[in-house]
Amino acid sequence: MANPADRPDPDLPTPNLEPGAEEVEELEDINGDGEEEEEYEGEDDDEATAAKPQTREDAATNRIRAESLFRRMGAAPVPVRVHDVIVKGNDKTKDHVIEAEVDVVRQATTLQELLEASKVANFRLQALDIFDSVKITLDPGPPELPGTTNVVIKVVEREKPLTCELGAFTKAETRSSSLEVSAKYKNLFGYGDNWDGSLAYGCDNSAEVGLGMYLPRFRGRPSPFTSRLYLSTQDWLKFSSYKERALGLSLGLLSTEYHDLVYTVAWRNFIDPSRMASRSIRRQLGHSLVSDLKYTFKVDKRNSPLRPTRGYSFISTSQIGGLAPNKATLRFLRQEIDLRYAVPLGFYRAALNFGVSGGIMFPWGSGYKSRASSVPERFFVGGNVSPVCSLGGPSALWGFKTRGLGPNEPRREEEEDQSGDTYERDFVGGDVAVTAFADLSFDFPLRWFRDRGIHGHVFACAGNMAELSENKYRNFSAPKFLETFRSSVGAGIVVPTSLFRMELNYCHILKKQEHDRAKSGFFLTFSTSS
């Protein structure tokens, strides 16, 4: 289900300016559909202009004046002040919703700033996803106030606010598929509010039903507000011998370019239908309350999330759980960091990507040193997905299966899955995790591959996890942690698309530990950007 808060690319090209205006304020028409179309208006309205067409001499005079204006703009800033913002075409949408998104135009003091601010305002209105088209025009201000302009915003509201989607998704790393159905109703109450409902069901018996709401910033709010009510079931029987059921509510309190703040409260239930769970899993079966606050700081200056060839990214996530007086509340502290850097090499569009990520969590409260941390909040490294795309913390290693490495315990008895693999142990996750990778991507010499973005890459990755809770931090040491690092290398072909990154890789496991679920061979993976 797409997040309503997602935004299109803000680096939109500024429309080309062509002469044909009469005054400073009568300059550019910024079109929401991206077409380079300029519309210049005189002091009379459109009807009067249509009734009294310009003569050839008038058109020549206007062109000379416009060329003079463009020369002034190129030589020095042209002072201008916004007198009023006029909204047209919003039969359902409230005026203050639109004005909150275009408030940036009121701060412009020159014509150059106003044109740039109009571009930003157009981008913000389009990002609301409730209009079919947006057009911004600069009209002259009142005659008694020279040097002023009116910003006229013409919008066309969506004719079909209800949309439905149906999709099938496959996770190659977990050999599972899911069917998802979603419906979204946009601008239901005229506040730019988007409501969506979704239903997902997986072949591994996982399911989720959700109802979400997105409300844009208005009346002084610094950012949009989001909320989502969900009922979910996740099946981890194959990997960790438990099923997780949760009824929860998440609230997006802050969402800006670099900062996100989310509060989540959920009632969870752990069950073990197989009755084969290990000792650590059995001790956590039953009901628990999750009440946590998560803050994320994210900077992503890479030129592409699927095939970055230059730039860097950094993300830091801090989470505190236990913000409720209930005894069943899980109390924990969790911190993750992820740093990526891409260096262009100057030939065959080659680039070296490398990254390092780490995380640590620990219970808090009375007796926290001897208390076990919650399994779902622990770190699980593995899954044959691309670390290049999985920005957000330690998660993926090429060649290692989902939840296929790290601390594990024997089950009561062993079980064989349908693929013939024997799973004798539960992987219970770690309280500290570190991963690192290096990826060298390059174009193939053949033009057919280059035109389609198909390229090759060679890679290496390493990572490890360890337990700290229940006094196990006493046995932790940096030399031992480094000595037990897992690692792999490989090469493959990458087929990037606008939605995902497909890789056909050969992975060779350099180092693994006993009971790790990893093997050398060919793997086909599909990865999306985080």
Side-chain angles (χ1 to χ4, degrees):
M1 185 66 203
N3 187 343
D6 287 345
R7 293 292 187 262
D9 184 5
D11 298 327
L12 302 176
T14 304
N16 294 331
L17 303 179
E18 295 183 1
E22 184 170 330
E23 299 292 339
V24 169
E25 300 83 9
E26 306 166 316
L27 186 60
E28 184 183 9
D29 186 3
I30 304 176
N31 295 317
D33 55 7
E35 296 181 1
E36 297 183 354
E37 175 184 348
E38 288 71 38
E39 178 181 330
Y40 307 98
E41 303 179 11
E43 296 182 357
D44 298 332
D45 56 17
D46 296 338
E47 291 78 5
T49 303
K52 187 179 179 180
Q54 285 187 335
T55 63
R56 183 175 300 178
E57 291 76 8
D58 292 338
T61 302
N62 291 341
R63 181 169 296 274
I64 294 174
R65 291 177 177 176
E67 291 175 350
S68 175
L69 171 60
F70 277 86
R71 284 193 295 269
R72 289 178 57 196
M73 290 178 60
V78 179
V80 70
R81 182 173 63 86
V82 176
H83 173 261
D84 194 11
V85 176
I86 303 171
V87 182
K88 298 181 180 180
N90 56 323
D91 298 330
K92 186 176 183 179
T93 309
K94 312 298 182 183
D95 284 349
H96 60 75
V97 175
I98 299 177
E99 291 172 356
E101 300 296 331
V102 302
D103 186 64
V104 63
V105 300
R106 296 184 180 274
Q107 304 172 10
T109 58
T110 66
L111 184 57
Q112 290 88 338
E113 292 179 359
L114 183 56
L115 294 179
E116 191 65 27
S118 299
K119 172 185 170 183
V120 173
N122 184 283
F123 157 71
R124 290 179 176 178
L125 291 176
Q126 292 282 8
L128 291 178
D129 201 25
I130 59 176
F131 302 117
D132 284 333
S133 66
V134 177
K135 182 179 293 186
I136 299 180
T137 306
L138 307 182
D139 282 355
E144 61 273 13
L145 297 176
T148 62
T149 183
N150 292 331
V151 179
V152 181
I153 302 173
K154 299 179 182 179
V155 298
V156 177
E157 296 177 332
R158 287 192 178 274
E159 295 184 1
K160 299 179 179 179
L162 179 63
T163 58
C164 299
E165 295 180 355
L166 174 65
F169 303 89
T170 300
K171 293 183 179 181
E173 69 275 11
T174 58
R175 301 178 185 176
S176 64
S177 301
S178 63
L179 180 66
E180 298 185 14
V181 181
S182 62
K184 179 184 294 186
Y185 198 98
K186 303 174 182 178
N187 207 20
L188 178 61
F189 298 108
Y191 292 96
D193 49 307
N194 288 343
W195 298 81
D196 69 88
S198 62
L199 172 63
Y201 182 79
C203 296
D204 57 355
N205 297 322
S206 62
E208 179 175 347
V209 179
L211 176 63
M213 184 268 289
Y214 167 81
L215 192 64
R217 61 187 184 92
F218 69 100
R219 297 191 184 278
R221 277 191 54 85
S223 67
F225 174 80
T226 61
S227 65
R228 189 161 194 83
L229 179 67
Y230 62 90
L231 175 64
S232 66
T233 299
Q234 296 189 48
D235 190 339
W236 297 109
L237 286 174
K238 178 187 294 187
F239 312 104
S240 304
S241 293
Y242 73 86
K243 277 189 175 183
E244 176 185 346
R245 296 173 180 172
L247 173 63
L249 173 68
S250 64
L251 303 176
L253 306 179
L254 176 68
S255 179
T256 63
E257 184 179 1
Y258 301 114
H259 308 277
D260 283 285
L261 184 64
V262 179
Y263 172 74
T264 302
V265 58
W267 186 256
R268 293 196 310 208
N269 183 25
F270 282 7
I271 62 173
D272 174 25
S274 66
R275 299 193 177 186
M276 297 190 310
S278 60
R279 180 173 175 270
S280 293
I281 300 298
R282 291 199 305 270
R283 287 189 305 173
Q284 300 201 17
L285 298 179
H287 295 275
S288 61
L289 177 65
V290 179
S291 176
D292 66 68
L293 193 66
K294 180 189 289 186
Y295 167 72
T296 303
F297 173 76
K298 182 177 181 180
V299 178
D300 193 349
K301 300 298 183 180
R302 299 175 300 173
N303 61 333
S304 170
L306 296 178
R307 188 192 177 184
T309 56
R310 65 177 181 275
Y312 67 93
S313 64
F314 175 77
I315 183 170
S316 171
T317 302
S318 305
Q319 189 175 2
I320 177 172
L323 305 179
N326 193 296
K327 293 182 179 180
T329 304
L330 299 176
R331 292 178 171 85
F332 63 92
L333 300 172
R334 198 173 193 266
Q335 176 65 45
E336 295 177 86
I337 59 171
D338 200 333
L339 175 64
R340 307 291 177 87
Y341 202 85
V343 182
L345 301 182
F347 59 91
Y348 284 106
R349 206 185 167 206
L352 176 63
N353 279 269
F354 60 88
V356 59
S357 58
I360 186 171
M361 72 157 302
F362 218 81
W364 66 271
S366 177
Y368 70 94
K369 292 183 179 180
S370 59
R371 187 186 307 165
S373 57
S374 175
V375 170
E377 275 66 50
R378 294 178 184 175
F379 297 97
F380 289 91
V381 176
N384 197 35
V385 296
S386 174
V388 176
C389 302
S390 58
L391 178 65
S395 60
L397 285 180
W398 279 293
F400 288 82
K401 295 185 178 180
T402 301
R403 296 197 176 192
L405 65 107
N408 56 84
E409 295 182 4
R411 292 177 175 175
R412 288 181 174 178
E413 58 184 84
E414 69 180 46
E415 176 184 288
E416 293 188 0
D417 72 349
Q418 295 179 355
S419 65
D421 296 330
T422 300
Y423 297 88
E424 304 176 0
R425 309 181 72 86
D426 285 335
F427 287 86
V428 297
D431 300 309
V432 60
V434 177
T435 60
F437 79 91
D439 180 276
L440 175 63
S441 61
F442 51 88
D443 279 346
F444 291 118
L446 296 180
R447 182 177 179 180
W448 188 89
F449 290 102
R450 295 198 305 269
D451 292 344
R452 289 158 178 79
I454 303 174
H455 61 279
H457 74 143
V458 294
F459 55 82
C461 62
N464 202 5
M465 293 189 300
E467 292 181 282
L468 300 178
S469 56
E470 296 183 287
N471 291 316
K472 294 179 181 178
Y473 68 92
R474 298 174 179 175
N475 301 323
F476 178 84
S477 66
K480 183 179 178 181
F481 188 71
L482 294 174
E483 183 182 347
T484 56
F485 252 67
R486 286 79 164 172
S487 59
S488 66
V489 296
I493 299 175
V494 182
V495 182
T497 70
S498 58
L499 300 177
F500 59 86
R501 169 185 171 117
M502 184 177 70
E503 299 180 8
L504 176 60
N505 296 325
Y506 177 80
C507 298
H508 176 69
I509 305 300
L510 293 179
K511 188 176 182 180
K512 66 177 183 177
Q513 302 300 320
E514 186 181 9
H515 306 303
D516 284 352
R517 295 172 55 229
K519 63 179 181 179
S520 301
F522 287 95
F523 298 91
L524 180 65
T525 65
F526 298 87
S527 306
T528 58
S529 58
S530 301

